[in-house]
Amino acid sequence: LRDAMYNNEHSADGLLSLYDVAVAAAKERFSEDTLLVALSRCEYIMGRAYSYEENKDAAGARYDAGDKFAAQALDIRESATAHLMRGENISQNCSVKPVSYALSHGTKIAGLAKKVLKLDENYGAAMYLQTAQHIYAPSPFHNHKKGIREMKEILEDSTVRLEKDDMFNLISAIGYGYLQREEIDEARTWLLKALEVYPGNKYVQSLLKDL
C-alpha cells in the first residue's frame, strides 16, 4: 500500500482495495495498541494519496482518523511509533486544513518528534519530522539551508534507521529545499535521486518539470 501510493500506481480511490487488504491483515495479525498504530498508518497513507490529488477534504478526513487511532494507541501504552503517527498525521493535516488548524496543532509536531526520539534515538522518520519544518514551513518560518544540512546529516548517519519512504522523503525534501534556494543543478541532482527510490512519484516529477 505504501509503495503503491508513493509510486502513484493508482488513483487514491484506486488504492482502496489495497487499503482494505492492509486493514484486514492488520486486524488479523495485531491487537490493542499495535493494531491502532497500524490502522493509523493506513489512514496516513490514504491521506497522502488524496493530498497528491489535492482533494483536501478527503485527505483531511484520513489524517483526522489517523491521528485519532494513534491517540487511542497512546491511551493504552506509550510507544515511539504511536507518537510518530500522531506527528505525521498532524504534519500532513497542516497542509490541507485551514490556517487555524496549523496554528493550533502545528506546534505539537516538534514535541511529538522529541517524544519519539526519547524512546528511540535512532528513529529516522522522527528525525525527518523534526527537521522538515525548516524545508516546508511558509515564509518567514523556513530555513532551507539548515533543513538541507540536517537532512543530509540524517542520511549520512549509519546508526539512523530509515525505511524506504523515509529515504524518499529526505532526498526529495533536500531537492525541494535547493529548488526554493534556486540552486537548480543541486535541486535536479537530488530530485533525480528521489526518483531512483520511487520512479513513478508525480510530485517529484512535477518539481523536475518546474525546473
Side-chain angles (χ1 to χ4, degrees), residues 63-81:
Y63 297 138
D64 285 342
D67 185 24
K68 184 177 180 180
F69 280 133
Q72 290 173 343
L74 288 167
D75 286 340
I76 297 173
R77 182 177 66 90
E78 185 179 30
S79 71
T81 307

Side-chain angles (χ1 to χ4, degrees), residues 127-128 130-137 141-155 169-171 173-178 181:
M127 295 178 185
Y128 167 79
Q130 196 172 44
T131 196
Q133 60 185 329
H134 299 313
I135 298 291
Y136 293 112
F141 305 107
H142 59 67
N143 186 335
H144 297 131
K145 185 176 182 180
K146 181 178 181 181
I148 289 169
R149 183 185 73 249
E150 290 183 355
M151 289 191 177
K152 285 183 176 180
E153 289 172 354
I154 295 169
L155 286 170
N169 288 331
L170 285 161
I171 294 168
I174 292 170
Y176 179 82
Y178 276 124
R181 288 175 56 81

Side-chain angles (χ1 to χ4, degrees), residues 56 90-107 109 138-139 141:
K56 293 185 177 182
I90 291 171
S91 176
Q92 291 298 323
N93 229 349
C94 288
S95 67
V96 299
K97 289 288 183 74
V99 175
S100 58
Y101 177 93
L103 292 174
S104 60
H105 290 77
T107 54
I109 298 168
S139 180
F141 305 107

